Amino acid sequence: MTPFNAFSFNTVPRLVCESGAAAKLGQLVRENFQGIRHALIVTDPGFLKTGQVDPAVASLKANHIQVSIFSDVVADPPEAVVLKAVADARAAKIDIVIGLGGGSSMDVAKLIAVLAGSDQELKTMYGIGNVKGGRLPLIQIPTTAGTGSEVTPISIVTTGATTKMGVVSPTLYADLAVLDAALTVGLPPKVTAATGIDAMVHAIEAYTTRLKKNPLSDMLARQALELLGGNIVEACENGSNLAARQAMLLGSMLAGQSFANAPCAAVHALAYPVGGIFHVPHGLSNSLVLPHVLRFNAPEAMSLYAELAEIVCPGVGGSAEAKCQGLIAHMEGLAKRLGIETLLREVGIAESDLDRLADDAMLQTRLLSNNPRVVSRDNARAIYAAAL
Ligand SMILES: NC(=O)c1ccc[n+]([C@@H]2O[C@H](COP(=O)([O-])OP(=O)(O)OC[C@H]3O[C@@H](n4cnc5c(N)ncnc54)[C@H](O)[C@@H]3O)[C@@H](O)[C@H]2O)c1
Ligand SMILES: [Fe+2]
């Protein structure tokens, strides 16, 4: 048996994985919480427009729960959006927070649940383990299969104009996560592709994380990649395939459980400045730098990448190096096949931006410390240059 280091593992206490579950939200609240009277649903204008918030609202009301909706979440949510939502939540005296949307909505929901009943200021919460006190009851219902935020103790906020910062605390684990594929059938193919690749990156980075890799996170990452790798093309090309959609949601949740315990690394560290400065969606930012970070990491992570190649591109043979190259080529080919951008210049980034990107990436010490290979500022710049 392979020896492994001591580890601890955390996740949310309850999961419901069922297509159509969001339309039974009132019942789920009644079964899992006591005395709830006023729920706040946290979402964004794009998802609200799909009309899919309505059945959840109707179900809450049918169970005698008053409902308020905060729908001003924007991608890569800035602090101001969080603070506005907290003020609304306090004024309405809500007693449960329900994130119903992509990672942006779920991340805002986490902070509302923490801040609504607390005197602590948001700016003192950034980093690991800085949240004091408790939070309101919290349910997370993802409508993208990507971030895994429904099962992570992380909320990512844009501070100042462009910097993305994380609040990481066990307090942010939801009480209940609901995986309802019916909510995701209308997700456009390009968003399905980019968010799906984000989830694959979570699994890849968790599997190769330097400090907290453990047998459970490994098992989850492997299973996640099998589900995500096996269904992403079908989910993009035939969005109404409910089975593929449910597999993607399950895969992204498993990847979330994995990286919540075995944290992400340089792909995310280099993706954050791309998202923060140029407003490139999170999944796409990851996809753009992914092959180049994998190539950079290969000398230190080759055997682990080779293990993942066997899952993601079955049939790949030969040496560990050949399998590792197979994984990188597969991920590059996947982005092309799914029709998302593959070069930084295609999202408006120029050579003259690379120094700023490299400087900003080096601020992501929380993530870089997990990378299998040390990343210098020059390395980061070279990776961006290769991705240009
Ligand atoms: N907390 C974590 O652990 C974690 C992990 C990774 C990323 N993140 C953060 O999550 C955010 C990205 O989340 P995301 O990629 O899910 O995107 P998102 O939440 O920003 O949503 C992207 C777009 O998709 C639309 N959309 C969402 N669901 C839809 C549906 N079912 N049908 C039609 N349209 C739909 C939204 O309206 C929005 O325009 C970033 O801020 C990122 O930093 C957090
Ligand atoms: Fe991510």
Side-chain angles (χ1 to χ4, degrees):
M1 189 176 161
T2 317
F4 50 82
N5 296 328
F7 74 98
S8 61
F9 187 89
N10 291 291
T11 192
V12 302
R14 182 134 201 250
L15 291 161
V16 172
C17 185
E18 178 188 346
S19 184
K24 297 191 276 187
L25 187 55
Q27 201 181 314
L28 288 171
V29 172
R30 287 283 168 244
E31 283 167 14
N32 287 281
F33 304 88
Q34 307 267 306
I36 299 294
R37 296 154 64 136
H38 194 166
L40 178 70
I41 292 182
V42 181
T43 190
D44 70 67
F47 185 70
L48 188 67
K49 227 169 41 197
T50 68
Q52 293 187 94
V53 177
D54 301 348
V57 171
S59 170
L60 289 165
K61 288 187 175 162
N63 281 274
H64 313 291
I65 298 164
Q66 194 184 336
V67 184
S68 295
I69 298 177
F70 180 83
S71 62
D72 291 342
V73 173
V74 292
D76 305 315
E79 277 180 325
V81 166
V82 175
L83 298 178
K84 164 81 168 58
V86 170
D88 287 7
R90 282 193 181 134
K93 296 195 170 39
I94 58 112
D95 49 21
I96 190 167
V97 181
I98 301 167
L100 177 58
S104 302
S105 297
M106 291 190 286
D107 282 5
V108 172
K110 288 176 186 176
L111 292 177
I112 299 172
V114 167
L115 287 163
S118 165
D119 296 333
Q120 195 185 349
E121 285 194 61
L122 175 56
K123 61 173 184 276
T124 66
M125 291 182 178
Y126 295 112
I128 301 173
N130 296 326
V131 174
K132 302 184 178 78
R135 59 156 172 75
L136 294 176
L138 176 64
I139 300 178
Q140 297 284 30
I141 312 176
T143 67
T144 61
T147 68
S149 179
E150 67 277 12
V151 291
T152 73
I154 305 166
S155 176
I156 308 289
V157 174
T158 305
T159 60
T162 57
T163 306
K164 296 193 76 170
M165 299 275 284
V167 178
V168 185
S169 160
T171 312
L172 299 190
Y173 280 116
D175 299 300
L176 171 67
V178 179
L179 306 182
D180 176 357
L183 300 173
T184 67
V185 292
L187 195 63
K190 277 193 163 188
V191 186
T192 305
T195 50
I197 290 178
D198 181 32
M200 295 180 81
V201 173
H202 295 153
I204 294 169
E205 294 215 277
Y207 199 73
T208 49
T209 197
R210 194 169 66 87
L211 300 171
K212 293 192 172 174
K213 182 174 165 65
N214 67 76
L216 261 184
S217 64
D218 282 354
M219 183 186 78
L220 291 160
R222 294 173 67 94
Q223 183 64 48
L225 276 177
E226 196 168 321
L227 286 162
L228 296 162
N231 288 280
I232 189 167
V233 173
E234 175 65 10
C236 290
E237 292 179 356
N238 181 12
S240 59
N241 181 334
L242 209 53
R245 291 292 196 178
Q246 196 74 49
M248 290 299 290
L249 263 185
L250 181 58
S252 65
M253 188 279 290
L254 296 176
Q257 289 183 317
S258 184
F259 88 85
N261 293 280
C264 285
V267 181
H268 274 73
L270 269 71
Y272 278 148
V274 173
I277 301 169
F278 295 95
H279 302 291
V280 175
H282 174 73
L284 179 56
S285 311
N286 274 300
S287 183
L288 288 165
V289 297
L290 173 67
H292 310 284
V293 175
L294 294 182
R295 248 176 229 121
F296 171 80
N297 285 345
E300 298 292 337
M302 186 168 297
S303 60
L304 295 177
Y305 289 157
E307 287 172 25
L308 296 181
E310 288 172 12
I311 299 168
V312 178
C313 24
V316 67
S319 63
E321 176 159 15
K323 288 180 185 167
C324 172
Q325 294 307 330
L327 176 72
I328 299 170
H330 181 87
M331 294 308 296
E332 268 181 327
L334 187 61
K336 282 203 184 88
R337 169 157 187 192
L338 299 178
I340 58 175
E341 290 84 348
T342 55
L343 299 170
L344 292 177
R345 64 179 79 245
E346 292 175 283
V347 296
I349 295 174
E351 171 95 41
S352 55
D353 298 315
L354 300 189
D355 283 316
R356 182 176 179 202
L357 285 169
D359 288 342
D360 274 22
M362 296 317 288
L363 301 176
Q364 299 292 335
T365 49
R366 172 179 75 83
L367 296 162
L368 289 173
S369 61
N370 304 312
N371 202 54
R373 184 174 171 194
V374 174
V375 183
S376 69
R377 195 255 182 214
D378 284 352
N379 296 147
R381 197 188 183 288
I383 293 169
Y384 284 125
L388 192 61

